[in-house]
Amino acid sequence: MNNFIPQAVTSASTSRNSPATAAGGSPASALSFISKGWREVRDSADADIRLMRDRANSFKNLASSLDRELENFINSASAFSVPAIKSYSASNSSTEIDFVKKLQPKLSEFRRVYSSPDFSRKVLEKWSRPTTPRIRIDLSAIKNAMLEEVEVDGGERLRQSRRGNVRFTDFRWDWKGEGEEGEEGFKDWEPIRALKTKLKDFEVKKSPDEIFGAWKNSELVEKFKASLKALRWDSLDSKEVPPLDVPELLAYFVRQSEPFLDQLGVRKDLCDKIVENLCSKRKNQLLLHSVSGGESSVVEGDNINDELDLRIASVLQSTGHHYEGGFWSDLMKQNPSEKKRHVAIVTTASLPWMTGTAVNPLFRAAYLAKSAKQKVTLLVPWLCKSDQELVYPNKLTFNSPEEQEDYIRNWLEERIGFKADFKISFYPGKFSKERRSILPAGDTSQFISSKEADIAILEEPEHLNWYHHGNRWTDKFNHVVGVVHTNYLEYIKREKNGAIQAFFVKHINNIVARAHCHKVLRLSAATQDLPKSMICNVHGVNPKFLEIGEKLTSERAAGQQAFPKGAYFLGKMVWAKGYRELIDLFSKHKNELGSLNLDVFGNGEDAHEVQNTAKKLNLSLNFQKGRDHADDSLHGYKVFINPSVSDVLCTATAEALAMGKIVVCADHPSNEFFRSFPNCLTYQTSEDFVTKVKEALVKEPEPLTPEQRYKLSWEAATERFMEHSDLEKVLGMDQSSIKSNKNFISKSVSMPNLSDMVDGGLALAHYCFTGSELLRLATGAIPGSRNYDKQHSKDLNLLPPQVENPIYHW
């Protein structure tokens, strides 16, 4: 076997003159380090030798097993040869016997060779010689290097440890192969040369500082220190929130001051730009931190206002602050934990008055109730008989709310084709001749019980709350959505001193919208830009008009003449509903439009005056009584002309498009939704109006595609309403979904919202203002409308009205 012998040679002369060792002055530690290393090498080599021996033995056992198997095979072959002779023919049997006889000597020879002791010895020698070295470590040189003999009294010599420097040099590996005893071949191994180099560097060190100084500045140590610092600061960041800086405080102050700035004429987009610029630095820091840390930022999305709110909330929560609400905030609202939510739709008009605020909220209630996911209540005004005669067409009146409810439900079911399961309630209302609209009498919110006060949809929120003296809607309801139907500023500007009145009405609308709504939807850009508002058409058309359009399209496809008549106009006959523009256009281009006889359908307060003006100007306008747009007599008209610019979103225009007619209307924000339809022709000037009318009279309407039909339907309008009013989020939100959102921070409980405080202050000021009967009358309120009267009490089975101070009321 080979011998694997390392030797250590020391230089005694050098060690005597060298200074103390650098590693604390003890060579015993170095000896222990070297001995331990060689022990590990020896143990590993011994384990390898044992493994190879086991493999050789297993091979020997395998050979023996093979020998036995061959012997069994020969014996079985001999036994098998006898029955084989009986079952096969003579030629086949003789062939098998010859094969066995030839195979038997060869197998016997193979067995003899592999069973001999010499074969096993040769195999073991072949496998063991190069792989089973025996390691012997000679540490005498190391021992002599560390100990020296000294002479003492009596001539005795003792060995003591040297205090000098120990050098480990010239490590060599001696391979003594078998049969080469006495011959030494020395060869340096690469790991040993590296070890000698390290030991040479080790021996010249003078102190522990020099030894570990290089380690302190090494790259490995620096990375280790950096990782420790990162762990430390990450743990601190998870527990501590950085304080607010000055730009963040200024941005929060500007954003929360938007109500005051809006009243001063500073637009919301300008405030948003200021806030964004102030918060841009902090936002970049958050993004940099999230990228470097490999984690998603706590704040997601690009809404800088939400980011600022969450930042303020996180700082306040880190301080332990808990906001309990303001002195005018009502936190005791209905708990929305029930399976079904309640939606109350409050509007300013009711059938049989065929106006947009009477028809569209009715369809909204029907299609919201169709999903059966929430309970729906429609709250409409109840008028006394004297007011009914002024408002409802053809002197139609009702003796009780139940009678009017039956009329409303029958009218609705004839048009939608299904039975709508929703509740209809009434609140007291009075008709204002000056404003030509119905105003609530008393606190409208009290007609929705506290148990059902969950979600409120205010159709015309500014109109409902001009003189509202009662509970704040956002205090009683969990979510309040306002839908703006009417461009009141456009109507007011047409009156005497209209500019001054429009100025005050604009700011009152801003106040009541802020105070009573969480979200405001504007049907078009033609309306006032109210706080918390966005533009979205959430109205559809009566399904009956889509059916009429399908019928007329089928008739045209069959070769019939679907539109034998020319052009017409339909609308309530008041100057502000487009009649002023219509007469101006026809009078200015009387010669160009002389051959056109326009049929005009409508009733209204200005009917007599409008007709006399057209007669004086000798205009080719044929006035007829108002009728339902779905009336059979109107199906044959091909062109619908609507020059009105005071509408927000003309329902008659949508109905005409649904019936497949061509529409000529002004290039105005109120008609923006209809521009995508090929049958809608818009004009910008009076000359362009003449051109478009002539074009419409000679061309044929294009059939509506399924996508265009669906866009006009109430199903699509309800989807848009649910999405943009946040009703989908409100109806789908429960406690489990809130807890599952790890980034959720309850801002309403974490911090005082200055904007909410301002809204509450505006609501309180408005409540005090509307409590004064003198101020109410000065601003155009109906006398005695601060509360309902005795007739309302009798008709609606209400408690008798309270006797109040006619001058002031709190």
Side-chain angles (χ1 to χ4, degrees), residues 452-467:
E452 297 179 348
D454 184 11
I455 300 170
I457 301 173
L458 305 184
E459 311 281 351
E460 294 197 317
E462 69 277 48
H463 183 160
L464 284 170
N465 293 292
W466 277 333
Y467 304 104

Side-chain angles (χ1 to χ4, degrees), residues 549-679:
E550 288 183 349
K551 178 183 176 182
L552 296 177
T553 301
S554 301
E555 291 178 357
R556 292 176 58 194
Q560 301 180 14
Q561 187 178 3
F563 302 110
K565 301 179 182 179
Y568 73 107
F569 174 61
L570 179 144
K572 185 179 180 181
M573 199 167 295
V574 293
W575 286 113
K577 286 291 186 179
Y579 285 91
R580 176 68 66 188
E581 291 81 2
L582 182 67
I583 289 180
D584 290 343
L585 288 171
F586 270 79
S587 62
K588 185 176 182 180
H589 299 280
K590 184 185 300 184
N591 296 330
E592 293 89 338
L593 299 174
S595 60
L596 174 62
N597 291 319
L598 184 69
D599 294 334
V600 181
F601 301 88
N603 300 320
E605 296 82 356
D606 298 333
H608 182 72
E609 186 177 353
V610 170
Q611 295 177 15
N612 288 338
T613 303
K615 187 176 181 180
K616 290 180 181 179
L617 297 174
N618 195 21
L619 303 178
S620 55
L621 301 178
N622 302 321
F623 293 96
Q624 302 183 36
K625 291 184 178 181
R627 62 193 67 180
D628 192 342
H629 203 175
D631 191 84
D632 294 340
S633 61
L634 301 178
H635 293 178
Y637 288 95
K638 184 174 70 172
V639 181
F640 176 71
I641 296 178
N642 182 16
S644 175
V645 293
S646 62
D647 289 327
V648 172
L649 188 77
C650 185
T651 304
T653 300
E655 293 169 349
L657 289 173
M659 289 187 289
K661 304 178 185 297
I662 299 176
V663 174
V664 178
C665 57
D667 187 4
H668 189 261
S670 61
N671 298 317
E672 181 68 28
F673 179 79
F674 306 120
R675 290 181 182 176
S676 60
F677 293 87
N679 291 333

Side-chain angles (χ1 to χ4, degrees), residues 402-567:
E402 292 77 13
E403 185 179 346
Q404 186 173 1
E405 179 179 353
D406 292 339
Y407 177 90
I408 294 172
R409 291 189 182 278
N410 293 333
W411 183 93
L412 178 65
E413 291 178 4
E414 289 177 0
R415 287 157 176 79
I416 62 177
F418 62 90
K419 187 174 182 180
D421 184 15
F422 65 94
K423 179 182 177 182
I424 297 180
S425 299
F426 293 85
Y427 69 88
K430 294 185 177 183
F431 180 71
S432 173
K433 295 181 181 179
E434 293 76 13
R435 298 186 179 275
R436 298 174 180 175
S437 59
I438 299 174
L439 298 177
D443 181 10
T444 310
S445 64
Q446 66 179 321
F447 295 94
I448 300 294
S449 64
S450 299
K451 183 179 179 180
E452 297 179 348
D454 184 11
I455 300 170
I457 301 173
L458 305 184
E459 311 281 351
E460 294 197 317
E462 69 277 48
H463 183 160
L464 284 170
N465 293 292
W466 277 333
Y467 304 104
H468 176 72
H469 184 69
N471 295 325
R472 185 184 173 192
W473 291 94
T474 53
D475 286 345
K476 186 172 183 178
F477 291 82
N478 294 302
H479 188 64
V480 182
V481 181
V483 182
V484 180
H485 292 246
T486 308
N487 187 3
Y488 287 106
L489 299 182
E490 182 66 26
Y491 291 143
I492 294 173
K493 290 177 182 178
R494 298 169 182 260
E495 299 178 0
K496 185 179 180 180
N497 300 323
I500 299 176
Q501 295 184 53
F503 174 81
F504 288 105
V505 172
K506 175 184 176 181
H507 290 285
I508 293 174
N509 290 346
N510 286 336
I511 290 173
V512 296
R514 287 195 65 92
H516 295 286
C517 294
H518 293 114
K519 191 72 175 284
V520 177
L521 298 179
R522 300 157 54 203
L523 298 180
S524 72
T527 58
Q528 178 183 343
D529 187 7
L530 295 172
K532 308 177 183 179
S533 67
M534 65 169 296
I535 298 173
C536 180
N537 176 22
V538 293
H539 286 177
V541 297
N542 186 338
K544 191 172 183 179
F545 293 102
L546 293 172
E547 295 175 1
I548 294 173
E550 288 183 349
K551 178 183 176 182
L552 296 177
T553 301
S554 301
E555 291 178 357
R556 292 176 58 194
Q560 301 180 14
Q561 187 178 3
F563 302 110
K565 301 179 182 179

Side-chain angles (χ1 to χ4, degrees), residues 116-256:
S116 64
D118 294 337
F119 177 79
S120 301
R121 182 178 59 80
K122 291 179 180 180
V123 171
L124 291 175
E125 288 178 355
K126 185 177 180 180
W127 282 89
S128 62
R129 286 183 61 183
T131 58
T132 58
R134 186 179 64 205
I135 298 176
R136 184 171 66 244
I137 302 176
D138 186 4
L139 299 178
S140 60
I142 298 176
K143 180 179 180 181
N144 294 332
M146 296 181 180
L147 300 175
E148 65 180 354
E149 293 182 356
V150 296
E151 184 175 346
V152 299
D153 296 339
E156 295 181 359
R157 301 183 67 85
L158 298 176
R159 301 180 72 88
Q160 67 178 12
S161 176
R162 295 178 178 177
R163 294 294 180 179
N165 187 25
V166 180
R167 298 184 63 195
F168 300 93
T169 60
D170 200 18
F171 280 85
R172 303 196 179 187
W173 303 84
D174 183 16
W175 288 84
K176 293 184 177 181
E178 186 176 350
E180 297 178 352
E181 297 292 344
E183 295 182 7
E184 294 181 358
F186 298 100
K187 182 180 180 181
D188 287 339
W189 192 35
E190 184 64 28
I192 298 302
R193 287 199 300 271
L195 180 60
K196 290 194 298 182
T197 303
K198 294 295 183 181
L199 290 175
K200 287 180 181 179
D201 296 337
F202 179 78
E203 70 179 355
V204 299
K205 301 298 181 181
K206 304 300 181 182
S207 64
D209 293 337
E210 294 180 2
I211 296 173
F212 298 104
W215 285 88
K216 292 180 180 180
N217 298 325
S218 64
E219 183 179 359
L220 178 62
V221 175
E222 292 297 330
K223 289 183 177 180
F224 182 72
K225 290 165 61 177
S227 63
L228 290 178
K229 289 181 179 180
L231 290 174
R232 175 176 176 268
W233 287 111
D234 286 345
S235 62
L236 290 177
D237 288 342
S238 63
K239 296 179 181 179
E240 298 180 3
V241 179
L244 296 172
D245 52 18
V246 175
E248 288 177 325
L249 291 173
L250 291 176
Y252 187 69
F253 177 76
V254 171
R255 197 178 73 80
Q256 298 292 350

